Amino acid sequence: MKKFYIAKSRRLRSTPYTSRIENQGVTAYTVYNHMLLPASFGNLEKEYFHLKKHVQVWDVAAERQVQIMGKDSSKLVQLMTCRNLSKAKIGRCYYAPIIDEQGGTLNDPVALKLEEDKWWLSLADSDVGLYAKGIASGLSLQVEITEPDVNILAVQGPKSFKLMEKVLGKKITELKFFGFDHYSFKGNKFLVARSGWSKQGGYEVYVENSEAGKNLYDELFLAGKEFQVEPGCPNLIERIESALLSAGNDFDSTDNPYECGFDKYIDIDSDINYLGKKALIKISKEGINRKLMRVLIDIDKIEVTDGMPLYNNNKVAGELRSATYSPNLKKVVGVAMVKKEYWDKKNPIELKIGDKKRKGTLCDLPIV
Amino acid sequence: MKKFYIAKSRRLRSTPYTSRIENQGVTAYTVYNHMLLPASFGNLEKEYFHLKKHVQVWDVAAERQVQIMGKDSSKLVQLMTCRNLSKAKIGRCYYAPIIDEQGGTLNDPVALKLEEDKWWLSLADSDVGLYAKGIASGLSLQVEITEPDVNILAVQGPKSFKLMEKVLGKKITELKFFGFDHYSFKGNKFLVARSGWSKQGGYEVYVENSEAGKNLYDELFLAGKEFQVEPGCPNLIERIESALLSAGNDFDSTDNPYECGFDKYIDIDSDINYLGKKALIKISKEGINRKLMRVLIDIDKIEVTDGMPLYNNNKVAGELRSATYSPNLKKVVGVAMVKKEYWDKKNPIELKIGDKKRKGTLCDLPIV
């Protein structure tokens, strides 16, 4: 498929690491929260195999933070998400879908409770900070909402544990999945979470001091030589194989969290208060008529740049939203929103590419 | 400077015209409101001269609309902007900076009053719809906030008037600047405004029926042959020469509207109610310490991908935010946020490029 350049400008913000990844051979960007997010270093498949075997350092500064501080901060965070955060603990990460009053899914950040009255929402791609500001103004909440200058470095892959232990010390090996704590490097403290946008294991370093972060970036490559460290980025193949959903790709504000399979992050039974709760109670009672599923198609390449209809007997059965060729499965794997009539996995589906029909099958999606 | 590809995906939404502009030779995109916005067809300078002489058709579907309907719609629109819209008329466009409670500038849309209780905000690049949803939920306003499937085609350039008259009829020549009305083409009605993101004159067609819009797109090229019509896009050179400010490039939420020079769109004296009014009253009393100015530098090329410091006697005098080589002025022209101490136009400024210092001058910015 034809390739196009990205027109860079201040509006598509660079990160503290941009000059480094450009020296290291990044070839493609996407834009995420008004910021450059690397998308490839030239060979997605090679990067995929490397990520599953070794360790990579990623510039994911585009995962911007909404910082919510103040007396009403917990109230505001809860108002925005259908997940019950009333028992949230300092030092833990919470996958927390953001919902609007109609029950639409606006974003799926990881919420970090930093202090009793201080939260970060580590965002997918939409301006949740504006949503927070609007609610806070409307309700006259006592909060301060900012986008702090936090620029995340992710260290991902099976050897990330050894590399991070070498650089930040043995204590980091005690960090549990979706836990976070502070670790020192050359006199600077870094908030490190055991998280990241791959299923290969690893960490995300929430860098608050850009200069110190750049030093850490360089050290990870120096110390990482013995672990075959490479620069990388969220890998399309790995993320779809691992069924890590992508807001804006796999779902958007026209989809409710039940349709996305986020059931276990939805609380409609307790007395917590959030926007969209009424809508979700109604949806829960009525049931959903479509849901996200995994698709497998017997072809050896695909590029999805827009929703593509999936057919069953020439009727539209759903919409393919993300897909990639999986070198593991030797077929194309994708994520699709599928109508209820076609949920039975025995239903074959078809994708039209040009004037050819390609056969595929559906299966359930393992959700994060 | 090194070029990078854009990694396309459903999240960077295509427009109804994407396949057309790709056939017509678009080479670069930017991303704007989570959508592809063409940035070049291969030769920015050639496109610049063409735009100033002939007529171009632009895919600016990325100028997304926030539609606000319902009993409280005018109240909500007013709550978001510092411009007094209490006397706004149906059929008129209003440049209306969106302000947060701290007085920061979140966006600078054109507001269209469609009906007594129906507005569109034709956005620059940020999710103002989420801000609107937050305020509406917080205040329990009776409004419905959506992003309608409106995909703007702009027809820009001195010959746009002749072309639009040929395609939509003589009545369109009566449309005044920043007015809008409905016009028919092959049985479909189109909302057309006399507006657009150039100073070369022209129209924006708010296409609500994509199929009809694609037919109109094709007709504009057929009928436009005699006017040397070409595909185009907002042109970096023309927009900076014309001092059309770009949200996210020239200003962002950390800048207040006085600093941006939006004084004539700020009402702090009447009894209208908007978020940030208190903050703006305070700023107005205290005065500002920096403002956007135009910069001229004696060099023959530049690429600004991040804010660049401007110096005066080795002290930081401001930040260059957008710039381009102007074939007209035979020098680089840019937009910078300049500290008050350096507003006097006699102050020379310097820009460091590599290890070279380049001399420049400041002047006032004609604001839209």
Side-chain angles (χ1 to χ4, degrees):
Chain A
M1 209 173 267
K2 209 182 155 190
K3 287 180 167 186
F4 303 91
Y5 294 116
I6 191 164
K8 290 173 95 182
S9 74
R10 180 175 180 263
R11 185 173 53 79
L12 310 188
R13 298 176 287 179
S14 296
T15 86
Y17 323 114
T18 299
S19 64
R20 282 169 168 72
I21 65 171
E22 294 190 353
N23 283 331
Q24 289 172 318
V26 67
T27 57
Y29 285 113
T30 183
V31 177
Y32 201 86
N33 290 321
H34 313 279
M35 197 168 227
L36 298 174
L37 175 65
S40 177
F41 284 74
N43 188 330
L44 218 54
E45 208 161 294
K46 193 169 146 243
E47 294 155 40
Y48 160 83
F49 284 114
H50 178 270
L51 172 62
K52 292 183 67 158
K53 197 170 172 188
H54 302 293
V55 55
Q56 295 181 353
V57 177
W58 298 356
D59 169 3
V60 287
E63 295 172 9
R64 303 309 289 168
Q65 308 306 305
V66 177
Q67 175 172 294
I68 303 178
M69 285 181 73
K71 195 173 81 63
D72 292 327
S73 59
S74 293
K75 181 178 175 185
L76 176 56
V77 171
Q78 184 64 77
L79 273 172
M80 294 195 284
T81 180
C82 57
R83 180 160 183 180
N84 188 338
L85 293 176
S86 61
K87 297 196 174 75
K89 293 189 182 86
I90 293 168
R92 292 291 302 163
C93 302
Y94 298 89
Y95 185 70
I98 303 293
I99 307 299
D100 68 13
E101 207 157 344
Q102 288 68 47
T105 313
L106 301 179
N107 202 295
D108 63 336
V110 171
L112 289 78
K113 186 170 180 177
L114 300 170
E115 300 169 15
E116 253 339 294
D117 287 337
K118 183 177 179 185
W119 293 77
W120 282 351
L121 300 177
S122 192
L123 293 186
D125 177 32
S126 67
D127 298 333
V128 171
L130 297 188
Y131 190 48
K133 282 185 178 188
I135 299 167
S137 291
L139 293 175
S140 301
L141 298 181
Q142 291 192 37
V143 286
E144 191 191 309
I145 300 156
T146 54
E147 185 191 290
D149 190 24
V150 171
N151 297 285
I152 297 181
L153 282 180
V155 183
Q156 299 285 300
K159 296 182 185 169
S160 60
F161 304 101
K162 287 282 179 204
L163 173 55
M164 289 290 272
E165 182 183 345
K166 185 174 171 187
V167 174
L168 296 179
K170 192 155 184 62
K171 205 178 131 236
I172 203 157
T173 60
E174 293 161 23
L175 194 61
K176 294 211 166 58
F177 184 69
F178 261 40
F180 68 82
D181 208 341
H182 292 82
Y183 302 88
S184 285
F185 171 70
K186 291 193 177 168
N188 284 288
K189 281 230 164 191
F190 293 93
L191 188 160
V192 181
R194 207 175 126 201
S195 59
W197 220 54
S198 85
K199 285 268 172 91
Q200 307 311 314
Y203 300 91
E204 289 181 302
V205 186
Y206 287 69
V207 172
E208 292 175 83
N209 175 330
S210 293
E211 288 311 308
K214 286 188 263 192
N215 290 337
L216 176 63
Y217 186 96
D218 295 338
E219 179 64 24
L220 286 165
F221 282 91
L222 271 178
K225 275 185 190 161
E226 64 170 306
F227 307 114
Q228 287 79 46
V229 68
E230 294 273 350
C233 49
N235 184 285
L236 185 71
I237 307 170
E238 198 277 340
R239 85 108 179 139
I240 294 180
E241 272 190 4
S242 299
L244 289 169
L245 296 183
S246 166
N249 283 313
D250 301 322
F251 63 88
D252 58 38
S253 63
T254 64
D255 306 307
N256 69 55
Y258 289 107
E259 291 167 336
C260 302
F262 294 154
D263 303 56
K264 67 175 170 171
Y265 304 109
I266 306 171
D267 181 337
I268 52 170
D269 298 318
S270 77
D271 62 354
I272 58 165
N273 185 21
Y274 60 87
L275 304 177
K277 190 175 181 183
K278 266 190 199 163
L280 293 190
I281 289 171
K282 186 163 178 279
I283 292 164
S284 167
K285 274 186 192 152
E286 291 170 357
I288 52 171
N289 296 308
R290 52 185 204 144
K291 69 176 182 185
L292 290 179
M293 295 184 79
R294 178 194 283 253
V295 183
L296 293 168
I297 307 164
D298 270 323
I299 43 177
D300 64 0
K301 65 173 176 229
I302 195 164
E303 194 182 1
V304 177
T305 62
D306 208 345
M308 298 173 77
L310 292 172
Y311 298 92
N312 174 290
N313 273 328
N314 290 317
K315 282 184 187 156
V316 175
E319 183 186 48
L320 184 65
R321 294 182 169 182
S322 297
T324 185
Y325 177 72
S326 159
N328 248 0
L329 303 166
K330 308 284 184 213
K331 50 184 77 177
V332 158
V333 56
V335 178
M337 185 60 84
V338 180
K339 292 183 187 172
K340 193 172 184 178
E341 307 93 279
Y342 305 97
W343 287 356
D344 187 327
K345 284 130 220 154
K346 278 175 280 180
N347 281 318
I349 51 103
E350 283 178 342
L351 180 69
K352 287 181 193 163
I353 298 187
D355 41 7
K356 283 190 183 155
K357 287 181 185 174
R358 304 302 199 155
K359 288 203 184 306
T361 53
L362 297 171
C363 56
D364 285 327
L365 204 58
I367 303 280
V368 283
Chain B
M1 209 174 268
K2 210 182 155 191
K3 287 180 167 186
F4 302 91
Y5 294 117
I6 190 164
K8 289 173 96 183
S9 74
R10 180 176 180 265
R11 184 172 55 77
L12 310 188
R13 297 176 290 180
S14 295
T15 86
Y17 322 113
T18 299
S19 65
R20 281 168 171 72
I21 65 170
E22 293 189 354
N23 283 331
Q24 289 172 319
V26 67
T27 56
Y29 284 114
T30 183
V31 177
Y32 202 85
N33 289 320
H34 313 278
M35 197 169 227
L36 297 173
L37 175 64
S40 177
F41 284 74
N43 187 329
L44 218 54
E45 208 162 295
K46 194 170 146 240
E47 293 155 41
Y48 161 83
F49 284 114
H50 178 270
L51 171 63
K52 291 184 69 159
K53 195 170 173 189
H54 302 293
V55 55
Q56 294 181 352
V57 177
W58 297 356
D59 169 2
V60 286
E63 294 173 10
R64 304 309 289 169
Q65 307 307 305
V66 177
Q67 176 172 295
I68 302 180
M69 286 181 72
K71 197 173 79 63
D72 292 327
S73 58
S74 293
K75 180 178 176 185
L76 176 55
V77 171
Q78 184 63 77
L79 274 172
M80 293 193 285
T81 181
C82 55
R83 179 160 183 180
N84 187 338
L85 293 175
S86 61
K87 298 197 174 77
K89 293 189 182 87
I90 292 167
R92 292 291 302 164
C93 302
Y94 299 89
Y95 185 71
I98 303 293
I99 307 298
D100 69 14
E101 208 157 343
Q102 288 67 47
T105 313
L106 301 178
N107 203 295
D108 64 336
V110 171
L112 288 78
K113 186 170 180 177
L114 300 170
E115 300 169 15
E116 252 342 293
D117 287 337
K118 183 178 178 184
W119 294 78
W120 281 350
L121 300 178
S122 193
L123 293 186
D125 177 33
S126 66
D127 298 334
V128 170
L130 297 188
Y131 190 48
K133 282 185 179 188
I135 299 168
S137 291
L139 292 175
S140 301
L141 298 181
Q142 290 191 38
V143 286
E144 191 190 309
I145 300 157
T146 53
E147 184 190 291
D149 190 23
V150 171
N151 297 284
I152 298 181
L153 281 180
V155 184
Q156 299 285 301
K159 297 181 183 169
S160 60
F161 304 101
K162 287 283 178 202
L163 174 54
M164 289 290 272
E165 181 182 347
K166 185 175 171 188
V167 174
L168 295 179
K170 189 155 185 62
K171 205 177 132 239
I172 203 158
T173 61
E174 295 160 21
L175 193 60
K176 295 210 165 60
F177 184 69
F178 262 38
F180 69 83
D181 208 340
H182 292 82
Y183 301 88
S184 284
F185 171 69
K186 290 191 177 168
N188 285 288
K189 282 230 165 191
F190 293 93
L191 189 161
V192 181
R194 208 177 124 198
S195 58
W197 220 55
S198 85
K199 286 267 172 93
Q200 307 311 313
Y203 300 92
E204 290 180 300
V205 186
Y206 287 70
V207 172
E208 292 174 83
N209 174 330
S210 293
E211 287 311 308
K214 286 188 261 192
N215 290 338
L216 176 63
Y217 186 97
D218 295 339
E219 179 64 23
L220 287 166
F221 282 91
L222 271 178
K225 275 185 192 161
E226 63 170 307
F227 307 114
Q228 288 79 46
V229 68
E230 294 275 350
C233 49
N235 184 284
L236 185 71
I237 307 171
E238 198 277 338
R239 84 107 179 140
I240 294 179
E241 272 191 4
S242 299
L244 289 168
L245 296 184
S246 167
N249 284 313
D250 302 322
F251 63 88
D252 59 38
S253 63
T254 63
D255 306 308
N256 69 56
Y258 290 107
E259 292 167 336
C260 302
F262 294 154
D263 303 55
K264 68 175 171 172
Y265 305 109
I266 305 172
D267 181 338
I268 52 169
D269 298 319
S270 78
D271 62 353
I272 58 165
N273 186 21
Y274 60 87
L275 305 178
K277 190 175 181 182
K278 266 190 201 164
L280 294 190
I281 290 171
K282 186 163 179 274
I283 293 164
S284 168
K285 274 186 195 154
E286 292 171 356
I288 52 171
N289 296 310
R290 50 185 204 145
K291 69 175 182 185
L292 289 180
M293 295 183 80
R294 179 194 283 253
V295 183
L296 293 168
I297 307 164
D298 270 323
I299 44 176
D300 63 1
K301 66 175 175 229
I302 195 164
E303 194 182 1
V304 177
T305 61
D306 208 346
M308 297 172 78
L310 292 171
Y311 298 92
N312 175 290
N313 273 329
N314 290 317
K315 283 187 187 150
V316 175
E319 183 186 47
L320 184 65
R321 293 180 170 184
S322 297
T324 184
Y325 177 72
S326 158
N328 248 359
L329 304 166
K330 309 284 183 213
K331 49 183 77 177
V332 158
V333 55
V335 177
M337 185 61 84
V338 180
K339 292 184 187 171
K340 193 171 184 179
E341 306 93 278
Y342 305 96
W343 287 356
D344 187 327
K345 284 131 221 155
K346 278 176 277 178
N347 281 318
I349 51 103
E350 282 178 342
L351 181 68
K352 286 181 192 161
I353 297 188
D355 41 7
K356 283 190 182 157
K357 286 183 184 173
R358 304 302 199 153
K359 288 202 183 307
T361 53
L362 297 172
C363 56
D364 284 328
L365 203 59
I367 301 282
V368 284

